[in-house]
Amino acid sequence: MQEVILLKLGETVLKGLNRNVFEDMLLRNLRRRLKRVGSYRVSFAQSTIYIVALENKEGELSDIDKAQEVADRLFGAVTVARAAAVEKDYDKIAETAVEYCADELSRAKTFKVAAKRADKHFPMNSPQICAELGGYLLDHFPNLSVDIHNPEVTVTVEIRDWAAYVHCGSHKGAGGLPTGTSGKGMVLISGGLDSPVAAWMMGRRGQILEAIHFESPPYTGPQAVQKVIDLLRKVSQYAGRINLYIVGFTEIQEAIANNCPEPFFTIIMRRFMMRIAQRQALATGCECLITGESLGQVASQTIGALACTDAVCEMPVLRPLIGTDKEEIIQISRRLDTYDISILPYEDCCTVFTPKHPKTKPHLDEIIEAEAALDIDGLIENAMATLKKININP
C-alpha cells in the first residue's frame, strides 16, 4: 500500500484559456518547495495533484508528513487529503479501506462512504461502491452505524486513471491563487496584528510579496525588527521567499515632531512611509502597495486620513483588511500562527510621537501646508541611504 497526498484545485479550474498558466505556476511552486524537505514525485491529472514520496540520497523514503506541511500551505490548492493508492480491484479497495481507515473508524460511531468514479471502465458505479463497501465496513466495525447526512467519518474512494485512492476525508487547503500569478506587491509591515494578515491575504490572491519596515532607533530596538522577521517567516511558509527592506525613520519622525502641528503627526508620518515604500516598490518591480489598514480602526484610518495618505501615491494601494473588524483579523492571525508574535511588547515606530488628539477629518490642503516646513526630498534621500535588505525564507 502506497500513501499519497491528493491536492484539489480551486479557482484555477475556472481560468478558461489561461488555465494552463495557473496550473503550471502552481506545479512549479509545489515542486520548488518540496525540494527543501525531501524527494517527491509530483504528477497532475483531472484537476488533481498527486504527491508521492521517493527515496532520498540516503536510500530512505522521504517524509510524507513534511510534504503535507508544504501542501497545506500551498496557495491554489483548495483541499488536501492523505490517501492510500491501491490497484483498481474492488476486493483490494475494501481491504485497504479497513486497514487504512481503522483508527478513525474504530473511534467513530457514524460513517458514510463516498465514491467518485472518474474511470468509467471500472465495473462498479459509484452507488454500488458505496453500498458494497458500506456493508463491508459495518461487518468489520460493529461500533458503527450509517449516517449519510452528518457522519463523523467519511470514507472516500476515488477511482482514477492510475489507481484507486482511499482516504478518510479531506481538509481545507490554503486556497486562493498560485503565488506569482498576480504580479508583485510591496507590503508596509509593522510588528502588529494587521499587516502580516494583510500580506498573507494578498499572497493568497497570487501576489509575490516584498516588504518594507521602518525602524526608529533609539526609540525602537532590534527586538522590533526581529519581531517583523519572525512574522514574515510565518507568512513566507505560504507565500514563499520575501525580501524585507529596513529603512531608518528616526530623522523623519523627529523633523515632523519639531516642525509640524501635533494633530497631523501621524498622517504626515504615513505620507512619508508611502513615499518611501513607493520608491522602493518601483525599484523592485512591484505594481502596488499593500497596507493593513481597517476603516475607522484608529484616527489615521478614517476616510479623510486615508485620502490624505493616498494623495502621495502614484500606484494602487491595496487594503485587504479595509472592511474587517479586529476579531476577524485576530482569527486569521491565529490561523497563521502570527498572533503570539504580534502581541510581543516590542513597539514599532508607529507608536513613536503619537499625538494626544490626532486629526480624524483632515483636509489635504492643510496637510500640504504643514509639510511645507520640511525638506521632504532631503529627508527621503537620507532615509533611503539607511536601507538594508534581509531575505526571509520559509
Side-chain angles (χ1 to χ4, degrees):
M1 179 178 64
Q2 183 182 52
E3 192 170 29
V4 303
I5 297 174
L6 306 178
L7 305 183
K8 304 297 176 65
L9 307 192
E11 292 179 65
T12 298
V13 302
L14 305 176
K15 292 303 178 181
L17 296 177
N18 294 319
R19 178 172 171 175
N20 288 343
V21 175
F22 285 80
E23 291 173 346
D24 290 345
M25 184 67 75
L26 180 60
L27 290 168
R28 284 202 298 271
N29 292 341
L30 176 59
R31 289 187 175 109
R32 183 173 62 251
R33 296 181 191 183
L34 286 173
K35 284 182 179 178
R36 299 173 182 154
V37 297
S39 179
Y40 304 89
R41 182 175 71 248
V42 175
S43 51
F44 177 70
Q46 299 174 321
S47 300
T48 301
I49 297 174
Y50 304 79
I51 303 173
V52 178
L54 303 176
E55 290 186 356
N56 57 27
K57 295 179 180 179
E58 290 73 32
E60 299 174 346
L61 198 64
S62 295
D63 191 341
I64 198 73
D65 291 334
K66 291 183 178 179
Q68 182 173 334
E69 290 178 6
V70 171
D72 286 345
R73 295 178 172 88
L74 182 71
F75 287 137
V78 68
T79 63
V80 182
R82 290 272 283 269
V86 63
E87 183 181 338
K88 289 186 284 186
D89 175 85
Y90 172 75
D91 290 336
K92 293 183 178 179
I93 291 171
E95 292 170 3
T96 300
V98 169
E99 179 184 355
Y100 191 69
C101 301
D103 289 343
E104 289 83 356
L105 293 175
S106 60
R107 293 193 299 264
K109 294 181 179 180
T110 60
F111 84 111
K112 76 172 183 179
V113 176
K116 302 176 183 179
R117 189 182 62 144
D119 180 3
K120 303 305 181 185
H121 293 98
F122 191 76
M124 300 170 67
N125 61 29
S126 296
Q128 289 172 332
I129 296 171
C130 291
E132 289 292 328
L133 184 57
Y136 187 81
L137 293 175
L138 285 171
D139 290 339
H140 285 76
F141 298 94
N143 55 297
L144 291 174
S145 62
V146 175
D147 184 346
I148 62 172
H149 299 294
N150 189 31
E152 293 178 49
V153 177
T154 298
V155 177
T156 301
V157 178
E158 302 186 32
I159 311 295
R160 295 186 169 272
D161 288 348
W162 300 321
Y165 300 91
V166 179
H167 59 85
C168 297
S170 59
H171 60 269
K172 290 181 66 174
L177 298 174
T179 302
T181 56
S182 298
K184 185 189 292 188
M186 176 69 71
V187 57
L188 284 76
I189 184 83
S190 69
L193 285 162
D194 303 339
S195 53
V197 173
W200 177 84
M201 290 181 73
M202 293 315 302
R204 194 168 183 258
R205 299 311 303 160
Q207 285 207 314
I208 296 171
L209 300 177
E210 304 269 297
I212 189 166
H213 174 72
F214 299 92
E215 62 174 352
S216 292
Y219 306 106
T220 62
Q223 298 97 330
V225 174
Q226 185 59 49
K227 184 179 177 182
V228 167
I229 292 172
D230 293 341
L231 288 169
L232 285 177
R233 187 162 286 121
K234 294 290 186 181
V235 177
S236 74
Q237 291 177 354
Y238 294 85
R241 190 179 73 173
I242 301 171
N243 293 320
L244 169 63
Y245 303 95
I246 309 291
V247 176
F249 207 60
T250 307
E251 183 185 10
I252 291 175
Q253 289 191 285
E254 290 179 340
I256 294 171
N258 293 331
N259 295 282
C260 299
E262 183 179 354
F264 300 153
F265 281 3
T266 302
I267 295 173
I268 294 174
M269 178 191 73
R270 293 290 296 175
R271 281 163 62 88
F272 270 94
M273 288 180 172
M274 299 298 264
R275 290 182 178 108
I276 294 170
Q278 179 173 253
R279 179 164 166 174
Q280 187 60 22
L282 292 171
T284 55
C286 294
E287 302 160 90
C288 65
L289 301 180
I290 302 165
T291 76
E293 291 157 318
S294 172
L295 186 62
Q297 184 171 226
V298 294
S300 64
Q301 296 175 19
T302 63
I303 287 291
L306 294 177
C308 291
T309 300
D310 285 1
V312 301
C313 298
E314 298 175 358
M315 61 170 53
V317 181
L318 306 183
R319 295 182 170 94
L321 305 182
I322 197 68
T324 59
D325 61 31
K326 205 65 178 181
E327 184 56 37
E328 291 170 317
I329 296 169
I330 288 173
Q331 288 177 6
I332 299 175
S333 72
R334 291 188 186 280
R335 173 183 173 183
L336 302 182
D337 198 26
T338 58
Y339 178 81
D340 290 338
I341 301 173
S342 291
I343 63 174
L344 290 173
Y346 305 127
E347 296 182 335
D348 57 51
C349 70
C350 294
T351 61
V352 179
F353 303 116
T354 302
K356 293 180 180 179
H357 303 289
K359 189 82 168 180
T360 59
K361 296 182 179 180
H363 298 286
L364 182 58
D365 55 353
E366 61 186 357
I367 298 298
I368 293 174
E369 182 180 352
E371 285 183 338
L374 303 172
D375 178 11
I376 295 175
D377 292 338
L379 289 169
I380 290 175
E381 290 298 330
N382 291 347
M384 293 300 295
T386 70
L387 186 142
K388 298 173 289 186
K389 178 181 176 181
I390 300 174
N391 294 324
I392 308 295
N393 292 302

